[in-house]
């Protein structure tokens, strides 16, 4: 089936092939079976719906969907909605975090067929069975010429020794491992994981951490403390600003996020600080 894919915004992960579009239909007719308008973020829904209308009016058969429309997702097709190289090997999550829609949209963890790719985007890969995780790493062994990334976010609280052994096996080729620090429950597990990863030889050139900020009850001072803790543990943090489609975050939060979501700025501002907390607590 020949599918045109339309996206309301371009990101580093969205496809760039000849059948991927980010605007209304071109002046010339494209032969295709269907147009899929794919929307990830709820605040992009008005633009996605406008694009769906434009393509429909141009005479195409249109289907509107994606995570923003509570699509639970099925088997992953490499290169269809994400660039080649990006890979999802599981859907869902067994946690019930109040700030996250994954468990509501996709249900409990579901293991998919392991396809080919080197940037793993699973919402919670470490919740998968040992057999599945080992099959993912076996697949990654075949990418000797690629940098391997774990961009989906790894849960520090369930990190086990055999997980670390698998990461060590790929250490020379891993460019990025994202963990997550979403609320206070993640603090102690993240500290523990930092020590174990430090002992295994991982440093800030590979370790990163998504850090949720700006949620109800949060303050810039509290958010700064969490981000600074990530730095002291050896993780390069990436501030993720909490938002919904109906709430626009105040400008001061937007300004604060900008200095904590760019790896170049974070590393330049915190030169020499990485790993300091772990060294202090292990002396």
């Amino acid at each position: 089936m020949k599918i045109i894919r339309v996206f309301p915004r371009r990101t580093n992960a969205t496809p760039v092939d000849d059948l991927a579009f980010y605007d209304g239909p071109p002046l010339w007719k494209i032969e295709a079976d269907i147009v899929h308008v794919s929307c990830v973020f709820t605040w992009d829904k008005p633009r996605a719906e406008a694009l769906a209308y434009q393509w429909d009016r141009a005479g195409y058969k249109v289907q509107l969907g994606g995570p923003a429309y509570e699509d639970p997702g099925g088997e992953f097709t490499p290169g269809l909605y994400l660039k080649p190289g990006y890979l999802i090997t599981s859907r869902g999550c067994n946690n019930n975090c109040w700030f996250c829609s994954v468990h509501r949209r996709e249900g409990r963890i579901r293991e998919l067929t392991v396809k080919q790719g080197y940037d793993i985007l699973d919402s919670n890969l470490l919740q998968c069975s040992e057999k599945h995780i080992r099959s993912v790493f076996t697949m990654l062994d075949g990418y000797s010429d690629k940098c391997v990334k774990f961009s989906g976010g790894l849960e520090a609280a369930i990190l086990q020794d055999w997980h670390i052994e698998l990461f060590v096996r790929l250490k020379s080729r891993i460019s990025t491992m994202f963990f997550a620090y979403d609320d206070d429950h993640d603090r102690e597990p993240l500290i523990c994981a930092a020590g174990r990863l430090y002992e295994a030889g991982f440093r800030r050139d590979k370790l990163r951490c998504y850090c949720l900020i700006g949620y109800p009850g949060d303050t810039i001072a509290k958010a700064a403390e969490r981000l600074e803790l990530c730095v002291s543990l050896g993780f390069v943090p990436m501030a993720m600003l909490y938002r919904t489609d109906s709430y626009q975050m105040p400008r001061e939060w937007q300004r604060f996020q900008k200095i904590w979501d760019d790896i170049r700025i974070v590393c330049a501002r915190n030169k020499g600080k990485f790993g300091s907390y772990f060294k202090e607590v292990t002396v």
Side-chain angles (χ1 to χ4, degrees):
M1 178 180 288
K2 193 173 183 180
I3 303 174
I4 293 174
R5 292 97 69 224
V6 179
F7 304 89
R9 71 170 66 213
R10 186 190 297 269
T11 71
N12 291 332
T14 45
V16 293
D17 59 82
D18 292 342
L19 291 179
F21 292 83
Y22 299 87
D23 211 332
L27 296 177
W28 60 93
K29 184 71 174 180
I30 303 174
E31 293 301 322
D33 298 292
I34 194 169
V35 173
H36 285 179
V37 180
S38 177
C39 185
V40 175
F41 304 109
T42 55
W43 47 87
D44 283 334
K45 288 170 71 173
R47 175 163 171 77
E49 289 162 8
L51 289 171
Y53 175 79
Q54 292 172 30
W55 283 83
D56 177 73
R57 293 288 292 174
Y60 294 89
K61 180 180 179 181
V62 177
Q63 181 176 319
L64 175 63
Y69 291 91
E70 301 300 317
D71 185 345
E75 282 292 336
F76 179 75
T77 303
L80 186 59
Y81 302 112
L82 295 167
K83 284 180 182 174
Y86 289 88
L87 179 64
I88 296 174
T89 78
S90 65
R91 306 276 191 187
C93 181
N94 295 338
N95 298 334
N96 296 304
C97 301
W98 64 268
F99 51 81
C100 182
S101 62
V102 170
H103 66 280
R104 294 188 292 270
R105 181 178 69 245
E106 301 179 6
R108 295 179 64 80
I109 200 79
R110 290 180 282 131
E111 297 175 355
L112 310 179
T113 303
V114 178
K115 308 289 180 61
Q116 294 296 306
Y118 46 86
D119 193 339
I120 310 302
L121 301 180
D122 297 39
S123 296
N124 204 327
L125 175 65
L126 298 187
Q127 284 186 347
C128 294
S129 67
E130 181 172 349
K131 179 181 177 181
H132 179 85
I133 294 174
R134 289 190 181 278
S135 68
V136 171
F137 277 79
T138 298
M139 179 275 297
L140 291 172
D141 283 335
Y143 282 97
S144 58
D145 61 335
K146 298 289 187 181
C147 290
V148 174
K149 299 180 181 180
F150 294 89
S151 299
L154 301 167
E155 186 179 354
I158 56 176
L159 183 68
Q160 299 183 45
D161 289 341
W162 64 269
H163 293 145
I164 296 177
E165 290 172 3
L166 290 175
F167 289 126
V168 168
R169 193 171 87 192
L170 292 176
K171 186 157 72 75
S172 63
R173 293 191 287 116
I174 292 177
S175 67
T176 307
M177 296 169 60
F178 269 99
F179 283 77
Y181 186 3
D182 295 319
D183 58 24
D184 290 340
H185 294 96
D186 296 322
R187 181 185 176 91
E188 292 306 317
L190 192 65
I191 293 172
C192 180
R196 295 162 72 190
L197 292 165
Y198 190 94
E199 290 179 355
F202 289 96
R203 298 294 184 270
R204 70 176 175 91
D205 61 321
K206 301 182 187 297
L207 298 178
R208 301 207 62 192
C209 187
Y210 295 118
C211 192
L212 186 65
I213 66 169
Y215 47 79
D218 197 16
T219 66
I220 287 180
K222 291 178 182 178
E225 190 276 332
R226 295 194 301 276
L227 291 158
E228 292 286 357
L229 176 63
C230 291
V231 170
S232 68
L233 292 173
F235 294 95
V236 180
M238 181 177 182
M240 307 294 290
L241 190 58
Y242 176 82
R243 62 176 290 186
T244 66
D245 53 341
S246 60
Y247 177 62
Q248 184 66 33
M249 187 59 64
R251 193 173 296 274
E252 58 266 29
W253 274 108
Q254 297 178 39
R255 289 196 295 264
F256 179 74
Q257 184 203 20
K258 285 185 180 299
I259 65 173
W260 284 102
D261 70 352
D262 187 316
I263 187 172
R264 296 165 299 180
I265 296 175
V266 174
C267 289
R269 292 178 65 247
N270 295 280
K271 190 174 182 180
K273 296 182 182 179
F274 289 93
S276 59
Y277 183 88
F278 174 70
K279 291 176 183 177
E280 290 172 6
V281 299
T282 55
V283 170

